[in-house]
Amino acid sequence: MKAQNKLNVVLTVLVIILISIISFAGVYRLDKNQMVSVLPNYILGTDISGYRKITLEVINENDGEQSSSETVELGATENATQEENQIAENNIQEETTNEIDNETLKEENAEKYRKSADIFRARLKSLKVEDYTVSCDENSGKIEITIPENDQTDTIISDIVQTGEFSISDTNTGEILLTNKDVKSVNVGVTESYGYYLAGMNINFKTSASKKLKNISIDYNSNAVIETNTVSNDVVQNDTVENEVAETNTVNNGNEIDNEDSDESTEVAKTIDLKIDNVTMLSTGFSETIENGTLSLTIGSSTDEEEIKETVYGGYNVAAIIENDPLPVEYDVTGNIYVQSTIQVSDVNIIVYVIIGIAVILSVLMIIKFKMKGLLFSILSVGYVAILLLVIRCANVVLSIEGIFAIGLSYILNLVFNYILLLSINNKELSKKERIEKYDNTLKKYGLTLIPVVLLSIICCFINWDTIYSFGMVMFWGIVISLLYNLTITNLLIRNK
Amino acid sequence: MKKKILYVVLAIIFIVALILTAVVGLKVDLNYAEGNTITFTVGKNITTEEISNIAKEVFGNDEFLVQEVEMFGDSALIKVRKDITEGQLSNLCTKLNEKYEIELETSDLDVNHIPNNKLRNVIQPYIIPMGLSTLLIVAFYAIRFKGTKKMLNLIKYLIIAEGLLYSLYAICRVPVNELTMPLAVTVYTLVVIIYSAVNELSLDTKQAKNEQNKPE
């Protein structure tokens, strides 16, 4: 029985060593004369791998310059009249006014640039970009944005630089009925029916604007019109917004021609334009009165899932623009480059070495204090880290600097359990039953110790920020594996002592 | 008495750190700071180490940062805290031409002024998760230990630990960089882990004592 127990312990230790070798050294196979790792690679976060850096510059700074020259001109005209009376006095006044005007203008521009930076932040937040920075030069208005590099990066860049002036206006008179300021939120979603996907966008208006929307939907109701007008009544039924615009226009033109003589027909043809930056995205009428303050649009339909995904992503971009304020100044992309992280692989290695160093010191202390048991538990801790690293690779957890620190923290967490367990069972007079009882108690205490960290990790898992998410995910897996590891392998060793 | 002295010392440290921050601000790493960048493509394989050596020769003691740009391994970016002179630009061109046997001109170098990244924006994403976690954790303590003492203690230790980290950055002029926030999160979690473990152990000892004191 004793020999069997010893064999069990030796086998467990060997399995741990084997797992450690697999995790730290890897498993390779020959593929096309090359050794290829069987295990998936670590997915590195933007803070380690790199990011896209976009430089935006103000296009139309003439606004500012113009107004500055206007004020100067105004000042000059005023001075010209005054010159007739008090030349010397006015010269002084002119200079002071210009200085004050320039300063005010500078401040106004700085305010505009700050607001623009905030709007970019809000748009990126609406787009749920995982990790971004927006910095603004308040003198020149230049804005630098860094965002993660992925499939959507280019789409995001092309869309977020739009000024984003959203309006719902009368097609005929051009009267603006609703703008970004009236929008509360925008939702984009997909419904699927028998393999046919339909992407929709709901523009939710503020309570104050809901009434206005209701009135518009009554005023621009096109139900009573002509039967052929149904295409324009259903807001979007085509694959793309552009098609819809074209089709709607055709239908409306037709109406106008058909009903040229009738006054009523002119009224009936009343439609609205949905515009972004004065570009008409859609012309439509309303088939029914909108009571709930939500304008529902169909933005695309397809049987191809990938195609609908792209449509939806485009919808998200439009939503991010509509639900935020328009930019107070126009921007243009002047730089768009992929930049490798400032944190080099060598820096990451330093962090890893420091964590390994701390782990070695703690293990040595354990060995000094608990001798053989300490050594055994040190090996157990190494095995724990090995399994955690394997899971991180297999579960595609993004590894940021926070994630690497979380691995270290998970190790410490597991070590805390080992230490408490060793303290409680470090008595030679303990019977097997007592030892198991002590183990059960320690595991229970450990579980309770973990609750606050579990809360922290779960919250971090729900945060849409690369580095925080990485921390949360690694901590979460660290806790789960630690519990399972101690319930199985540590349990086995305790029972077979 | 010892505790009081400790608190007074801590308070002094925090006040000094706050005053220093208000007067001179925190020291910021070049990656977060305002500066000028030079971006260029060599057309041959380069390493950041090679470019760093060239930049060292050109900018001397001025603080600079080298990053690889794009994915082809032939472009780089040098960020300098100070303004870049024409002389430095032509010097850089000459050095690059000598090293890689190319014919780069100063007009091929893309020079840009880069605004600073405000620390407020760096810290902002962490406020909600950490705040929410703290709320939930203290609520858990209030339930688990039936009272406010333990939860107030946790808040106290968190403030002390994070305050000390902040003071270290403010007083020792450690530059705030990409490692600062991960360190702050790690310190936060470490305090929670240790405090939690100590409390669970002390609760166990208390229960054992109570059981011993019970009359048979």
Side-chain angles (χ1 to χ4, degrees), chain B residues 88-156:
Chain B
Q88 282 173 329
L89 276 182
S90 57
N91 195 9
L92 180 69
C93 256
T94 319
K95 302 263 180 206
L96 285 171
N97 290 341
E98 278 171 13
K99 173 85 186 170
Y100 298 103
E101 293 169 350
I102 48 169
E103 287 173 0
L104 215 63
E105 286 174 20
T106 45
S107 55
D108 297 325
L109 307 176
D110 184 20
V111 183
N112 263 311
H113 179 77
I114 302 296
N116 67 326
N117 197 354
K118 284 183 179 160
L119 289 179
R120 190 181 56 206
N121 297 329
V122 177
I123 297 166
Q124 209 175 23
Y126 294 84
I127 294 172
I128 291 175
M130 293 303 133
L132 210 59
S133 303
T134 312
L135 273 177
L136 283 177
I137 292 167
V138 293
F140 167 73
Y141 276 113
I143 297 164
R144 171 96 182 110
F145 299 104
K146 291 170 190 136
T148 52
K149 198 186 164 190
K150 298 277 178 192
M151 85 181 198
L152 289 176
N153 271 345
L154 173 71
I155 295 171
K156 184 176 81 185

Side-chain angles (χ1 to χ4, degrees), chain A residues 180-308:
Chain A
N180 302 59
K181 282 183 182 169
D182 300 308
V183 178
K184 191 169 124 194
S185 62
V186 183
N187 305 323
V188 180
V190 187
T191 51
E192 192 245 331
S193 162
Y194 303 106
Y196 187 76
Y197 298 93
L198 202 67
M201 180 189 278
N202 278 357
I203 305 175
N204 306 312
F205 287 88
K206 288 175 186 167
T207 329
S208 53
S210 295
K211 265 187 182 177
K212 220 173 170 184
L213 181 70
K214 189 184 169 184
N215 292 336
I216 294 167
S217 66
I218 296 166
D219 290 349
Y220 293 81
N221 195 311
S222 45
N223 246 356
V225 204
I226 306 147
E227 282 172 3
T228 50
N229 213 8
T230 44
V231 179
S232 66
N233 293 340
D234 293 326
V235 177
V236 187
Q237 290 290 349
N238 297 304
D239 287 353
T240 58
V241 170
E242 286 83 0
N243 287 345
E244 170 60 30
V245 175
E247 199 161 340
T248 317
N249 286 340
T250 330
V251 172
N252 287 338
N253 290 339
N255 289 341
E256 279 164 24
I257 297 161
D258 290 345
N259 303 297
E260 249 175 4
D261 301 328
S262 153
D263 285 345
E264 202 183 312
S265 68
T266 331
E267 268 178 44
V268 161
K270 262 176 97 176
T271 55
I272 54 148
D273 283 349
L274 267 79
K275 290 180 181 176
I276 292 180
D277 293 339
N278 281 329
V279 175
T280 308
M281 308 300 289
L282 178 73
S283 285
T284 185
F286 291 89
S287 55
E288 54 190 41
T289 312
I290 296 174
E291 302 270 5
N292 60 359
T294 300
L295 179 63
S296 299
L297 307 169
T298 306
I299 54 170
S301 58
S302 174
T303 48
D304 183 9
E305 202 178 343
E306 284 305 310
E307 195 186 319
I308 207 77

Side-chain angles (χ1 to χ4, degrees), chain B residues 14-213:
Chain B
F14 293 164
I15 291 166
V16 170
L18 285 171
I19 292 171
L20 269 172
T21 313
V23 177
V24 284
L26 289 168
K27 192 180 176 189
V28 182
D29 195 61
L30 186 55
N31 198 30
Y32 287 159
E34 190 178 354
N36 294 288
T37 59
I38 311 166
T39 315
F40 53 86
T41 303
V42 171
K44 286 181 179 176
N45 270 346
I46 54 164
T47 63
T48 45
E49 213 175 357
E50 289 168 357
I51 303 297
S52 289
N53 289 335
I54 294 172
K56 210 171 187 178
E57 286 173 30
V58 176
F59 301 106
N61 290 329
D62 292 351
E63 201 182 339
F64 67 85
L65 178 94
V66 176
Q67 282 174 281
E68 216 178 298
V69 171
E70 300 297 358
M71 291 164 180
F72 311 107
D74 64 349
S75 306
L77 176 152
I78 303 173
K79 187 172 180 183
V80 192
R81 207 184 277 265
K82 290 181 179 171
D83 285 336
I84 300 162
T85 60
E86 277 298 320
Q88 282 173 329
L89 276 182
S90 57
N91 195 9
L92 180 69
C93 256
T94 319
K95 302 263 180 206
L96 285 171
N97 290 341
E98 278 171 13
K99 173 85 186 170
Y100 298 103
E101 293 169 350
I102 48 169
E103 287 173 0
L104 215 63
E105 286 174 20
T106 45
S107 55
D108 297 325
L109 307 176
D110 184 20
V111 183
N112 263 311
H113 179 77
I114 302 296
N116 67 326
N117 197 354
K118 284 183 179 160
L119 289 179
R120 190 181 56 206
N121 297 329
V122 177
I123 297 166
Q124 209 175 23
Y126 294 84
I127 294 172
I128 291 175
M130 293 303 133
L132 210 59
S133 303
T134 312
L135 273 177
L136 283 177
I137 292 167
V138 293
F140 167 73
Y141 276 113
I143 297 164
R144 171 96 182 110
F145 299 104
K146 291 170 190 136
T148 52
K149 198 186 164 190
K150 298 277 178 192
M151 85 181 198
L152 289 176
N153 271 345
L154 173 71
I155 295 171
K156 184 176 81 185
Y157 291 129
L158 282 175
I159 292 171
I160 291 173
E162 295 292 345
L164 280 173
L165 184 70
Y166 160 71
S167 306
L168 179 81
Y169 273 92
I171 299 169
C172 302
R173 312 304 296 157
V174 179
V176 176
N177 57 16
E178 295 92 341
L179 292 179
T180 308
M181 285 319 289
L183 259 178
V185 175
T186 307
V187 167
Y188 175 96
T189 319
L190 214 54
V191 171
V192 171
I193 292 171
I194 294 168
Y195 186 74
S196 208
V198 168
N199 275 308
E200 287 301 334
L201 279 177
S202 67
L203 197 73
D204 203 49
T205 327
K206 255 187 193 175
Q207 276 171 354
K209 265 186 188 175
N210 285 343
E211 269 175 30
Q212 271 180 359
N213 292 338

Side-chain angles (χ1 to χ4, degrees), chain A residues 108-145:
Chain A
E108 272 174 15
N109 281 342
E111 183 57 39
K112 274 184 194 171
Y113 302 146
R114 269 197 297 270
K115 201 184 168 195
S116 301
D118 287 339
I119 291 167
F120 281 123
R121 280 188 201 103
R123 284 181 183 178
L124 290 166
K125 202 176 173 185
S126 301
L127 280 169
K128 295 189 173 76
V129 174
E130 285 165 354
D131 199 353
Y132 61 84
T133 63
V134 178
S135 49
C136 170
D137 184 352
E138 289 172 10
N139 293 322
S140 63
K142 186 187 272 184
I143 287 177
E144 199 189 73
I145 299 175

